[in-house]
Amino acid sequence: MRAKYAATLFLKGVLLLMTVGMIALYVFGLPEMAATEAAQDPETAYLQYPFLIVAYIFFSPILIAFYQTFKLLGYIGRDQAFSDSVLKALTVIKYCALAIIFFIVLGELAAILFIDDDITHIITLGVIGTLASAAVAVFADLLRSLLKDAIAMKSSNDLIV
């Protein structure tokens, strides 16, 4: 019991550090990147705010997935791993991963259509992000379906006893 509490506490700490890093990127990194790019290329300075809006929209599913994972770890820590709340959290995580894939594909298409330079690095990062998000979506869906079956078995056993 104590080992499970320590493991969930450690995972919550790692998740919290990742979230703080992501929010720091939101608040400090992205506006600085947009301002630097606008200063370097005044012809495209008008794209600074649309870039920020699109970036914030892109990162929103990531933060939502982090929050749902934090809730999921809380359920596991309170021995509520076999509940409908866990199923809902896993479903939200799956849909967030699918939204991230969608946004990456849109970004890749925009890069292909609008950037004339070499975009190999952009395509490579997009493929890596898509594969990582697909792995998260498949794992969350697999875990959700296994948990759904386990909850059904548990409820049928409770009815028998």
Side-chain angles (χ1 to χ4, degrees):
M1 182 70 165
R2 190 153 175 84
K4 181 173 68 169
Y5 178 74
T8 56
L9 187 63
F10 173 74
L11 288 174
K12 282 182 178 181
V14 169
L15 192 62
L16 190 63
L17 285 174
M18 290 171 56
T19 305
V20 166
M22 184 73 65
I23 290 173
L25 177 68
Y26 262 39
V27 173
F28 301 113
L30 287 177
E32 181 66 30
M33 284 172 36
T36 302
E37 183 63 31
Q40 289 177 352
D41 193 5
E43 293 176 359
T44 60
Y46 66 93
L47 294 174
Q48 177 180 1
Y49 295 111
F51 166 76
L52 287 174
I53 291 168
V54 169
Y56 290 146
I57 290 170
F58 172 75
F59 282 119
S60 296
I62 296 171
L63 288 179
I64 293 169
F66 281 178
Y67 175 69
Q68 292 297 321
T69 305
F70 197 81
K71 282 177 44 176
L72 184 66
L73 289 171
Y75 294 136
I76 292 170
R78 291 189 304 267
D79 287 331
Q80 296 174 347
F82 296 100
S83 67
D84 290 333
S85 302
V86 172
L87 290 176
K88 183 179 177 189
L90 286 169
T91 302
V92 171
I93 291 169
K94 178 183 85 168
Y95 286 132
C96 285
L98 292 174
I100 292 167
I101 292 171
F102 176 73
F103 290 142
I104 289 173
V105 169
L106 283 180
E108 296 287 318
L109 289 175
I112 290 169
L113 293 174
F114 298 117
I115 297 177
D116 294 333
D117 294 337
D118 182 29
I119 58 168
T120 308
H121 59 286
I122 296 172
I123 301 294
T124 303
L125 288 174
V127 168
I128 291 169
T130 301
L131 290 176
S133 296
V136 169
V138 168
F139 183 71
D141 192 48
L142 177 68
L143 193 57
R144 189 186 67 77
S145 65
L146 290 173
L147 190 61
K148 193 175 182 181
D149 292 343
I151 290 171
M153 268 198 237
K154 183 178 180 263
S155 65
S156 69
N157 284 343
D158 288 344
L159 290 175
I160 293 173
V161 174

